[in-house]
Every structure is written in C-alpha cells, then in structure tokens.
Amino acid sequence: MKTYQNLKTELKEGILHVTISRPQALNALNMETMSELGAVLQEADHESVRAIILSGEGEKAFVAGADIKEIATLSKEEAAAFARRGQILFKQWEDFTKPIIAAVNGFALGGGCELAMCCHIRIATENAKFGQPEVNLGIIPGYGGTQRLTQLVGRGKALELMMTGDLISAQEAKNIGLVNHVVATHAELAELAQKIVSKILAKAPVAIAQLIKSVNAGFDFEKAGYEAEAIHFGECTTTQDFKEGTTAFIEKRQPQFKGK
Ligand code: DAK
C-alpha cells in the first residue's frame, strides 16, 4: 500500500482498514484527504482487497466535516470544482463493489456524516454524534447528503436534521435508521466491524457486488436531486452568510446571518 499523509491503511486478511488521521482537526476533510480517499479506493480495486473498514483516528471523531478553515479561503470557482469533485468521490465510494463498513467512532458531522452515508453499512460507538450542521455555516450539505439522508431516514426527519443542524446521538441515529448497530466501546466497534465483514466475505463475491449495484441503481446519481444539490450548494457559497458562518466558526463565536 502507498503511504498517505492523512490516512492510515492496513491490509489484514483481505480487509483494508482505512483510518482518517488528522486528529488535531477532528479528522476534518481537507482537499488533500479528499484526494487521498480517491487514491486509496483505486488501490483497493485490487484482488488482494475484499472489503474496507473505514474509521477515524482517536476516540473523539470519525470526521467532523469538511475542513472549515480551508474552505473559508476558496474562491467561487474553486468552491464549485471542489464540491463537484466531492460528490463524484463519494459516489465512487458508494458504488464500490466490495463491502464497505463505516465504523463511526465519534463525531460524524457534515461531510463526515455524508461520507459515512456512502458506506454500505454504518455501525457506531455510543459516544458518536451525527448531524448535518451546514446551516450553521450558511450552506447546505454538498456531497450528496440532502439525497442520502433523505433516502435513509425519510423526508421529514432529514429536513428537520438539516434545517436545525442538530446533532443526534448514536442511539437516536439507530432509531431513525441512519446507523445499523451501536456498541459501547471502541474495541467492540472494531470487533463488530470485523464480524460483519467476515460474515459477508463468506458469501459469493459476485452476488455481493451485484447486490450493491442493484440497490444503488434504484438511487440514481443522475437524478435531479444531486444536480439540484450541487447548484443550490454553489449558490450558498457565494453569499455573505457563508463568509460569516465560516468566519464565526474560526473566531469561535455565533454567526449573525443577514439573508444575503
Ligand atoms: N474543520 C476544521 N477544523 C475543525 C473542524 C472542521 N470541520 N471541526 C473541528 N475542528 C478543529 C477546531 O477548530 C479545533 O481546532 P483548534 O481551535 O484546537 O485549533 C479542534 O478541531 C478541536 O475542536 P473543538 O475545540 O471545537 O472541539 P469541541 O469538542 O469543543 O467541539 C465539535 C467538537 C465537533 C462539536 C466542533 O469542533 C464543531 O462544531 N466542529 C465543526 C462541525 C462542522 O460544522 N463541520 C462542518 C460541517 S459543513 C465546501 C464548502 C463547505 C463544505 C464542503 C465543501 N466547498 C466550498 C466546496 C462543508 C461541508 C461540511 O462538512
């Protein structure tokens, strides 16, 4: 396996363990990490890899979203290109034809929740928290979250979560169908991920691949929702409110939104 700046990888008995590792920023997704998530998926497209378990470094965060400090400095053109690349990258993870388990070990917020939703199965420790707090920054989810959250939990709950920006516990995430299983400890999370993967790997790989393709075919990426999300996300990033939201986060204060 290659060496990555922000990912730790280990291939053990056909299972590729990928750990996002920027603990100083709660594993937030900067551009480099996004590009490494693309590269590692390409590497995983090899017969030696039969499944992926994705997690975050440490006991606090899976991924606390896109790197707000980095996105605050993007130009409009850079922002649009970055958003589109993110949508495509997350779709590649969703469409990967070997099982991917998200082992959510802490905060899964914004882009982190969106990344977990691209994985085929989500399990979590009870300290994990989920949410789409983009509204606090004056934007909307831009990596397919408006679509995938709605698919997983239904329209009413998805809209409530996205409009309030509320964070929910792992147990509540399980109650609404965002997470499949919740365990107490990080050791149990690793054990459960391994157990689920082992069970799947005992089945016929072609059938598993065809299952993933069949399920995903019913949630067509070309459908209007993803396109609308990209357009409306782009519109939000041009507002003064987006500048205010990201600046307020960096300055550790509440944002004052003006509606423009
Ligand atoms: N980005 C950058 N740094 C982050 C971060 C993030 N998303 N989340 C946390 N950190 C940093 C904090 O700034 C802090 O750094 P220092 O102050 O120590 O230098 C360090 O990680 C520890 O965080 P806290 O001190 O805040 O820890 P707490 O336990 O007090 O709070 C928290 C944990 C997860 C509740 C809090 O850190 C938090 O609210 N984090 C932000 C959550 C969030 O809003 N995530 C982003 C959602 S939006 C795009 C534009 C936007 C997006 C994508 C693309 N384009 C223009 C293309 C947005 C997508 C999103 O994901």
Side-chain angles (χ1 to χ4, degrees), residues 38-53:
V40 81
L41 201 65
Q42 274 185 3
E43 266 204 282
D45 191 14
H46 182 271
E47 60 186 11
S48 60
V49 176
R50 301 181 62 210
I52 298 177
I53 298 176

Side-chain angles (χ1 to χ4, degrees), residues 24-26 28 60 64-69 71 74 79 82-83 107 109-111 133-134 137 139 143 233 237 242 249 252:
Q24 73 287 1
L26 302 187
K60 189 164 175 186
D67 189 314
I68 299 170
K69 294 166 189 167
I71 58 180
L74 294 178
F82 185 43
F107 290 111
L109 308 180
E134 284 84 353
L137 303 173
I139 50 172
Y143 297 147
F233 173 86
T237 63
F242 174 54
F249 175 79
K252 299 184 187 286

